[in-house]
Amino acid sequence: MTNPESMEEGECWAECLDVAVRIARTAGQLVQEAVKQEKSVSSKSTPTDLVTEADQQVEDLIISTLRERFPSHRFIGEESSAAGEKCVLTDNPTWIIDPIDGTCNFVHSFPMVAVSIGFAVKKELEFGVIYHCFDGTLYTARRGHGAFCNGVRLQVSKEKDMSKALILTEIGAKRDPNTLDIFLGNMKKLLSAPVHGVRIIGSSTLALCHIASGAAEAYYQYGLHCWDIAAAAVIIREAGGCVIDTTGGPLDLMSRRVVAAGSQEIADYVVQQLQPISYGRDDHDP
Amino acid sequence: MDPWLECMDFGVAMTKEAGKMIRDALQREISVREKSSPVDLVTETDQKVEELIISSIREKFPTHSFIGEESVAAGAPSALTDGPTWIIDPIDGTTNFVHRFPFISVSIGFTVNRQIEFGIVFSCLENKMYTARRGRGAFCNGAPITVSGQQDITKSLILTEMGFKKDSEHFRAMMANMESILSIPVHGIRAPGSAAVNMCLVACGAADAYYHIGIHCWDMAGGAAILTEAGGVVMDITDQPRQQRRRRSPPELPV
């Protein structure tokens, strides 16, 4: 078998993307089976930050499959990181994996759960794959090659008028009074634009895919992780949208916060309304 | 012999037709108007779907009454009488429909002597047809569904909806309610955007409760039947049995 790293980079990443799609589907189908069964649940950083055995098994499957195929690549995975592996992005080809995005939804069989696989080289996000475990929808994008949903080209909403916008967000794991005050304050400000509405579906990656598909105009969140953003950022950008930091600057993948939108105008408006909530960084020691 | 089974079967057939009309409309440009506020939207499709449902049912059952969201908006009476009455939301989740965001449904509740006899909710993009006949259980695409059985509020997933409120006190109360619920803490809150779908999500155990202040009877009627037949509870927020017409006091559904 040809050593992938001796090939042209572009061809190599295309091959990696094909492998990512196959393993995302396999993992997603496993999750779909697991959702019908009894789940053993525990909590991580807070009582509302859940993890199950399935998260760990699915991540092991994805990483072991990829590692066998690409032995020199690096991996950042949600459960590996929880187990103490450092979450540092180097120049090496790096897979950034959320085995079950929407673990709380998974526990409840609420139909918004995804497998997310992102890939970065020289710290640049190259492609992303997100598989919707309940309905089998597959979102993919490769830098410079467009974004697709089940093979159909994705295009963000071109809406620039905030009063016609649908906004998505997620609550995050912290529930202390101070955090909730800021979280609800941010939401109230945006609702008061007034926007068409705010939706919360419980899966950051699928919510971000709805920005890419044009079904919503903006997404903002404090408290998500690099493995929630990595794949979706490529998908949104390739669909014509923007993905930036909550301060308005460029996306900081490890900062645990993001604003994504179909248009820069909407992104800028959202940034202006937000008070920050600190969740630390993925690349700091816990 | 079930006197209302024929009505229910006809209702399901009309709901499927309505769902097809909605899916077709999603392929085209959607023209939007505002009703009571900039966030209370209506489209031509809402009106066409309601006309389709009502005219078809009226032809088959000419003595029946109707309470439909768009008819009421156009000035039709909304009082519930003892006669057989169809309570219809042609598109529940119109904002989602305008944006092509998932969770859009057609909702029909049927009452006789002010009691709900059956409910039908069709979540069109998910292709999930929820039905329930009083005393006969609740189903999704023909498979029986039941509520989660969760009794521990700290392990529960709660549904609600949040939107701009012109009344500042109502707005303040909405945010305060979310804060109270999140502080318990619960596992999470979700806001998918369709009241009828929310009730069905509780009915099939995917969430444990739904609360909503400002819901309409046409949003509740179908879903309430389904949730009750799935083993759940539908109540007023004041802890009284829910009355069909008390919009001021919406349903709260602990399992």
Side-chain angles (χ1 to χ4, degrees), chain A residues 48 50 105 108-110 112 164 166 168 171 175 180-181 184 191-192 194-196 199-202 210 215 217, chain B residues 39 41 96 99-103 155 157 164 171 175 179 183 186-187 189-193 201 205-206 208:
Chain A
T48 54
L50 307 181
N105 286 353
H108 288 271
S109 306
F110 186 86
M112 286 284 180
K164 295 182 169 47
L166 188 65
L168 310 184
I171 298 167
R175 301 293 164 82
L180 288 181
D181 270 348
L184 292 167
L191 283 170
S192 303
V195 296
H196 271 177
R199 302 284 178 263
I200 297 175
I201 60 171
H210 288 317
E217 277 66 33
Chain B
V39 302
L41 307 179
N96 284 357
H99 287 270
R100 298 172 170 81
F101 189 78
F103 302 120
K155 292 183 169 50
L157 188 65
F164 171 68
F171 204 179
M175 305 308 294
E179 177 147 26
S183 304
V186 294
H187 270 179
I189 284 185
R190 303 287 177 261
L201 286 167
D208 305 291

Side-chain angles (χ1 to χ4, degrees), chain A residues 161-176:
Chain A
D161 180 351
M162 202 61 193
S163 72
K164 295 182 169 47
L166 188 65
I167 310 295
L168 310 184
T169 190
E170 296 298 334
I171 298 167
K174 295 209 292 191
R175 301 293 164 82
D176 57 280

Side-chain angles (χ1 to χ4, degrees), chain B residues 120-139:
Chain B
I120 302 166
V121 173
F122 183 38
S123 178
C124 320
L125 296 188
E126 298 181 286
N127 205 30
K128 289 182 176 164
M129 177 68 77
Y130 296 92
T131 56
R133 172 80 184 93
R134 185 166 64 88
R136 309 268 174 98
F139 299 84

Side-chain angles (χ1 to χ4, degrees), chain B residues 87-89 92 105-111 116-122 130-133 137-139 145 147 194-204 210 215-235 242 244 251 253:
Chain B
I87 305 175
I88 298 161
D89 193 343
D92 182 52
S105 63
V106 182
S107 174
I108 296 181
F110 179 80
T111 65
I116 301 180
E117 289 295 334
F118 63 77
I120 302 166
V121 173
F122 183 38
Y130 296 92
T131 56
R133 172 80 184 93
F139 299 84
I145 57 174
V147 292
S194 161
V197 170
N198 289 345
M199 297 181 88
C200 294
L201 286 167
V202 179
C204 69
Y210 170 45
I215 195 170
H216 292 274
C217 62
W218 44 78
D219 297 321
M220 291 199 260
I226 293 161
L227 180 47
T228 308
E229 284 299 315
V233 170
V234 182
M235 19 194 282
R242 184 187 52 80
Q244 185 65 263
L253 303 94

